[in-house]
């Protein structure tokens, strides 16, 4: 892995009105690293992910992707919001997969994957089609190119969503509870695509409740609670030898549920 | 009776063309104004949202005829003399725009936020998010209400006859004045208005099917 982090979050603060959702979060992610973010509901995991590609604004702190600040430029110590086109350009570097898939219902699977290739990356239709087809084949959906989202199962929809994001060849992939909305028997097919991506060297931030996936695939596990990172480390340490009482409680609740 | 109708057909035809022309012009202009207004209500600066909100609420509370008269008889005092037909088109377009703005706002606002998020996440800029993701989905949702507005506009176009535009209504009045066959010719006019609006509804239903996404 390269020395300079691919992503650096520095003192990230996010508030909704009076509520502090993120409380000065610092986090660095190296190129090729897979970081699983775990924690109870409302701990700020999803908000953290959404801030990284500026789907959420933040009030303080900085996010750097390859040294470039996300959302704001800094001019003489002041934060100046970037232009829409600039924000859009940077978003294309961070592919995102959502809990509820968010496929475009008026486009077939191929159209969903091709849209960003033609409109953002400026690829010609034929090249975009070829590239999109290759990614849909890679996630096991080569036979569903013309299927509309309403004709696909949840697992298939999420795999199209992954193909749509990865086809843009982003620097990092952000997964926001990508399997939480799926029937249990469909979770495996999505996790297997995610594990395949991780093996290919993709940098990934994965907000997940799938502890087995976090243990087996992630290089590092970050535990968040109440808008702050409470503990982080290699999966074996976080799961088998938690240092903080809060993480012990969280893991205890999980194992009680299983 | 048939002779009377045949003899009056050229005047009815000319009136019908005027009604169709006025309605079409109002729907095109009003829809453009409404699309812009609806997007301003959703995405405009606070001042712009405020201004458009006043326009929409004010226009929806004024009788159509009052605005037609105000523009036709009142604008000359401001040094702006519009022909009767132009005054009618401007007034009805303003009404149409106010209705369509609210329809567009409602349709776009009903698209789940995740759609805009997903479009943003692949790097689409605001204009492309609207063009490729939000508006194509909103069309299916605003078509039923837009067709209702279009039907209202066709019916309201008869008000231009009150500033002496020879549309279908005025043509019918002239023929009835000449022939004294009120029931027959108002019946013909009613049938023609119904045919236009029924065609609009059928077209709307077809478009709705085309743009509906399960």
């Amino acid at each position: 892995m390269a020395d300079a982090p691919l992503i650096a979050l520095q003192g990230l603060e996010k508030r909704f009105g009076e509520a502090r959702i993120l409380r000065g979060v610092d986090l660095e992610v190296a190129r090729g690293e897979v970081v699983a973010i775990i924690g109870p509901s409302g701990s700020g995991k999803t908000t953290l992910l959404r801030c990284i590609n500026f789907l959420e604004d933040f009030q303080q702190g900085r996010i750097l992707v390859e040294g470039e600040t996300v959302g704001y430029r800094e001019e003489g110590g002041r934060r100046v919001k970037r232009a829409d086109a600039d924000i859009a350009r940077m978003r294309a570097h961070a592919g995102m997969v959502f809990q509820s898939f968010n496929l475009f219902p008026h486009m077939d699977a191929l159209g969903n994957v091709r849209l960003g290739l033609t409109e953002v990356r400026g690829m010609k239709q034929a090249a975009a089609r070829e590239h999109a087809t290759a990614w849909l084949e890679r996630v096991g959906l080569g036979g569903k190119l013309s299927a509309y989202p309403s004709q696909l199962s949840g697992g298939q929809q999420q795999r199209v969503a992954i193909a749509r994001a990865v086809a843009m060849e982003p620097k990092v992939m952000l997964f926001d509870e990508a399997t939480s909305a799926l029937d249990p028997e469909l979770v495996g097919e999505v996790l297997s695509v995610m594990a395949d991506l991780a093996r290919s060297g993709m940098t990934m931030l994965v907000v997940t409740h799938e502890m087995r996936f976090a243990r087996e695939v992630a290089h590092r596990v970050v535990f968040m609670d109440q808008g702050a990172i409470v503990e982080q480390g290699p999966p074996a340490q976080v799961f088998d030898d938690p240092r903080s009482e809060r993480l012990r409680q969280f893991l205890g609740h999980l194992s009680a549920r299983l | 009776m048939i002779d009377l109708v045949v003899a009056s057909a050229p005047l009815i035809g000319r009136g019908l063309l005027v009604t169709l022309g006025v309605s079409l012009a109002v729907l095109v202009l009003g829809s453009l104004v409404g699309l812009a207004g609806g997007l301003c209500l959703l995405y405009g600066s606070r001042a712009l949202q405020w201004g458009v909100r006043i326009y929409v609420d004010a226009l929806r509370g004024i009788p159509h005829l009052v605005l037609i008269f105000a523009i036709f008889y009142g604008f000359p005092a401001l040094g702006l003399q519009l022909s009767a037909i132009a005054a009618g088109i401007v007034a009805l377009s303003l009404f149409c725009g106010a209705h369509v703005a609210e329809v567009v706002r409602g349709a776009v606002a009903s698209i789940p936020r995740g759609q805009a998020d997903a479009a943003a996440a692949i790097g689409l800029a605001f204009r492309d998010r609207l063009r490729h993701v939000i508006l194509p989905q909103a069309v299916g949702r605003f078509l039923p209400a837009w067709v209702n507005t279009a039907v209202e506009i066709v019916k309201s176009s008869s008000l231009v006859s009150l500033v002496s535009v020879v549309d279908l209504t005025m043509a019918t009045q002239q023929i009835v004045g000449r022939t004294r066959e009120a029931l027959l010719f108002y019946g013909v006019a009613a049938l023609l208005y119904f045919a236009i609006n029924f065609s609009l509804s059928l077209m709307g239903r077809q478009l709705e099917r085309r743009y509906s996404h399960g």
Side-chain angles (χ1 to χ4, degrees):
Chain A
M1 289 174 202
D3 289 334
L6 178 68
I7 295 173
L9 278 57
Q10 299 170 347
L12 194 65
E13 285 272 345
K14 166 75 186 172
R15 287 185 292 275
F16 283 119
E18 292 296 302
R20 275 177 87 195
I21 308 301
L22 297 175
R23 300 163 179 256
V25 174
D26 294 307
L27 181 70
E28 290 190 348
V29 180
R31 201 177 300 275
E33 193 178 14
V34 178
V35 176
I37 304 174
I38 63 170
S41 297
S43 57
K45 313 182 295 288
T46 291
T47 306
L48 181 81
L49 224 54
R50 290 172 62 84
C51 284
I52 292 174
N53 65 357
F54 208 59
L55 288 180
E56 292 290 350
D57 202 346
F58 48 90
Q59 283 76 32
Q60 274 179 51
R62 297 201 299 174
I63 300 173
L64 299 149
V65 176
E66 280 191 333
E68 196 176 11
T69 52
V70 169
Y72 294 92
R73 285 180 289 112
E74 285 165 14
E75 280 181 7
R78 281 191 321 120
R79 298 197 321 160
V80 180
K81 198 163 186 178
R82 290 181 181 274
D84 181 55
D86 207 14
I87 291 171
R89 174 185 61 79
M90 293 190 71
R91 279 188 181 131
H93 297 321
M96 185 150 186
V97 175
F98 302 85
Q99 181 178 348
S100 48
F101 327 137
N102 295 345
L103 290 185
F104 308 133
H106 56 300
M107 294 178 190
D108 60 16
L110 190 65
N112 266 274
V113 181
R114 196 170 47 187
L115 179 65
L117 299 174
T118 53
E119 301 305 318
V120 178
R121 292 191 52 196
M123 288 172 79
K124 296 262 185 273
Q125 285 290 343
R129 185 187 169 87
E130 199 178 319
H131 191 73
T133 304
W135 271 107
L136 283 165
E137 280 169 354
R138 177 147 171 204
V139 299
L141 292 172
K144 297 282 183 186
L145 301 183
S146 308
Y148 282 81
S150 59
Q151 299 167 317
L152 297 171
S153 71
Q156 289 171 330
Q157 287 189 57
Q158 194 61 298
R159 284 187 281 154
V160 174
I162 292 173
R164 178 175 69 182
V166 187
M168 299 295 291
E169 296 178 348
K171 293 170 180 163
V172 58
M173 281 290 295
L174 311 170
F175 290 89
D176 181 18
E177 300 191 22
T179 57
S180 298
L182 295 175
D183 290 339
E185 67 265 29
L186 302 176
V187 169
E189 64 187 71
V190 173
L191 289 181
S192 125
V193 169
M194 289 167 65
D196 178 45
L197 271 179
R199 279 192 295 274
S200 73
M202 174 65 79
T203 310
M204 292 166 53
L205 261 83
V206 185
V207 167
T208 186
H209 292 299
E210 296 290 336
M211 296 304 147
R212 205 171 129 195
F213 176 84
R215 181 189 279 274
E216 290 173 4
V217 178
H219 300 117
R220 181 159 44 122
V221 176
V222 170
F223 171 65
M224 285 185 73
D225 189 33
Q226 295 184 359
I229 293 176
V230 177
E231 190 170 338
Q232 58 180 308
Q237 179 200 304
V238 168
F239 289 118
D240 301 332
D241 186 20
R243 312 270 155 95
S244 65
E245 182 53 34
R246 186 66 192 93
L247 177 55
R248 269 196 292 275
Q249 276 176 1
F250 175 72
L251 294 173
H253 281 305
L254 281 184
S255 48
R257 272 200 342 224
L258 294 173
Chain B
M1 193 166 73
I2 290 173
D3 290 348
L4 269 180
V5 174
V6 170
S8 307
L11 184 54
I12 291 176
R14 281 199 298 277
L16 179 63
L17 281 179
V18 170
T19 288
L20 286 171
V22 168
S23 301
L24 189 68
V26 168
L27 282 173
V28 170
L29 286 173
S31 296
L32 289 174
V33 169
L35 182 63
L39 295 178
C40 286
L41 282 174
L42 287 158
Y43 305 113
S45 65
R46 192 164 289 213
L48 200 55
Q49 287 186 14
W50 205 66
V52 175
R53 175 50 61 201
I54 289 174
Y55 156 68
V56 168
D57 289 347
L59 266 287
R60 296 205 303 179
I62 299 173
H64 295 192
L65 192 56
V66 170
L67 195 67
I68 294 174
F69 282 168
I71 290 175
F72 185 58
Y73 296 115
F75 272 23
L78 304 172
L80 191 62
Q81 175 73 64
L82 291 180
S83 67
I85 198 163
I89 288 172
V90 169
L92 292 177
S93 295
L94 288 171
F95 279 111
C96 182
H99 278 275
V100 172
E102 195 52 47
V103 167
V104 167
R105 188 204 60 75
V108 171
S110 73
I111 305 295
R113 183 185 167 183
Q115 290 293 304
D117 282 350
I122 56 171
L124 289 177
F126 175 73
R127 205 179 57 182
D128 288 328
R129 294 201 289 276
L130 275 184
R131 182 176 152 210
H132 295 291
V133 176
I134 305 299
L135 290 180
Q137 293 183 63
V139 167
R141 300 184 187 208
F142 81 59
L143 266 175
W146 184 86
V147 169
N148 284 342
T149 303
V151 166
E152 286 306 315
I153 289 298
V154 171
K155 290 193 283 185
S156 297
S157 73
S158 64
L159 294 173
V160 298
S161 65
L162 295 172
V163 286
S164 309
V165 174
V166 186
D167 70 333
L168 180 57
T169 299
M170 176 60 100
T172 307
Q173 275 174 345
Q174 289 177 351
I175 295 165
V176 168
R178 222 169 36 227
T179 62
R180 307 278 169 208
E181 289 284 355
L183 189 61
L184 172 66
F185 284 103
Y186 282 124
V188 169
L191 263 178
L192 289 171
Y193 278 114
F194 173 77
I196 298 170
N197 284 333
F198 189 65
S199 310
L200 266 175
S201 298
L202 282 182
M203 215 163 63
R205 257 176 252 165
Q206 266 187 345
L207 285 170
E208 234 175 285
R209 266 199 295 274
R210 186 174 151 194
Y211 284 103
S212 68
H213 313 285

